[in-house]
Amino acid sequence: AQKVTQAQTEISVVEKEDVTLDCVYETRDTTYYLFWYKQPPSGELVFLIRRNSFDEQNEISGRYSWNFQKSTSSFNFTITASQVVDSAVYFCALSAFTSGTYKYIFGTGTRLKVLA
Amino acid sequence: DSGVTQTPKHLITATGQRVTLRCSPRSGDLSVYWYQQSLDQGLQFLIQYYNGEERAKGNILERFSAQQFPDLHSELNLSSLELGDSALYFCASSPTGTGALGYTFGSGTRLTVV
């Protein structure tokens, strides 16, 4: 079975603090893809990053960084020096080929509130 | 602008009615996915079409149906609407049938059933 768990329902931080959003996934497939999406208060879903299962290199993009660890089935997302504009719901997602079809599963999301 | 167009943006209708949501994928994308986002359910996958054919099915109710047309736009039909169908409905598109390259989401249609 495939599953994505975002155990943190809501996180509040003060501006300029660093914050890490956790994502734990389950899949039996050896080839899969992991994603993070951002949903700001305006409602749209914005693609942030994609990582395939064969690439465990961490990635940094500005204030954002992602830590992919297959050993712990985790794909965590860190925002450094958070800003109020980072306030949003963040979703982790998994795409894998299972039972003859691709399944794309989202976690339940983590609501991040960055306070000024 | 993500390149995925959803219409209408907002829809208010009464219980028992039928509505059609429309999605035009990003240019070049062959797959269209429909998701329902309600307050207590998160993002629920409904259905995927790839190049006109149904590719995968999720938790889509029998009262709901969808199709993808030759020009690749898609419509999601919701009938016999209930209060619980009130949600944000997202369409997403991707170049392939796997979603491996990630989705591009539209801005959603907010459906309110009264």
Side-chain angles (χ1 to χ4, degrees):
Chain A
Q2 295 184 110
K3 191 177 178 181
V4 175
T5 301
Q6 293 180 257
Q8 303 151 310
T9 306
E10 185 169 312
I11 302 175
S12 291
V13 298
V14 176
E15 207 170 18
K16 297 184 185 176
E17 285 185 358
D18 298 347
V19 58
T20 295
L21 310 182
D22 297 333
C23 174
V24 174
Y25 63 93
E26 291 177 31
T27 181
R28 294 180 185 174
D29 297 288
T30 55
T31 301
Y32 53 90
Y33 302 87
L34 297 164
F35 306 85
W36 276 94
Y37 290 85
K38 174 182 180 180
Q39 187 175 36
S42 51
E44 76 273 22
L45 280 157
V46 179
F47 168 82
L48 295 178
I49 190 172
R50 162 185 174 264
R51 174 68 67 219
N52 74 56
S53 55
F54 299 109
D55 182 3
E56 286 193 73
Q57 274 195 330
N58 293 327
E59 183 158 337
I60 297 175
S61 175
R63 296 183 297 106
Y64 294 172
S65 62
W66 290 270
N67 183 317
F68 176 30
Q69 290 194 338
K70 287 177 76 171
S71 60
T72 56
S73 297
S74 64
F75 186 42
N76 296 337
F77 172 31
T78 298
I79 302 175
T80 303
S82 60
Q83 300 176 0
V84 173
V85 292
D86 295 327
S87 297
V89 180
Y90 291 86
F91 291 93
C92 180
L94 164 71
S95 175
F97 189 77
T98 301
S99 302
T101 187
Y102 281 92
K103 289 186 183 289
Y104 203 104
I105 297 171
F106 281 83
T108 51
T110 297
R111 182 178 299 278
L112 174 65
K113 293 185 178 179
V114 182
L115 308 172
Chain B
D1 182 5
S2 68
V4 177
T5 304
Q6 286 189 249
T7 57
K9 291 193 183 306
H10 301 276
L11 199 49
I12 301 176
T13 190
T15 54
Q17 295 297 305
R18 172 190 168 95
V19 297
T20 297
L21 312 184
R22 183 188 168 101
C23 170
S24 293
R26 196 177 57 164
S27 178
D29 285 357
L30 299 178
S31 270
V32 169
Y33 308 78
W34 286 98
Y35 279 84
Q36 179 192 56
Q37 186 180 30
S38 50
L39 280 175
D40 56 348
Q41 294 287 327
L43 273 164
Q44 297 290 315
F45 169 62
L46 295 178
I47 197 164
Q48 176 200 357
Y49 280 84
Y50 176 71
N51 206 20
E53 295 191 0
E54 183 181 305
R55 173 63 71 95
K57 218 167 185 176
N59 301 320
I60 188 167
L61 299 172
E62 285 191 11
R63 300 183 286 109
F64 297 180
S65 64
Q67 54 184 331
Q68 186 179 30
F69 295 87
D71 67 352
L72 300 179
H73 91 270
S74 178
E75 293 181 356
L76 178 67
N77 300 297
L78 316 175
S79 60
S80 303
L81 284 167
E82 303 174 357
L83 295 177
D85 297 326
S86 296
L88 192 52
Y89 290 84
F90 282 105
C91 166
S93 72
S94 72
T96 68
T98 68
L101 299 178
Y103 289 179
T104 302
F105 279 87
S107 55
T109 293
R110 185 169 296 280
L111 173 66
T112 302
V113 182
V114 297

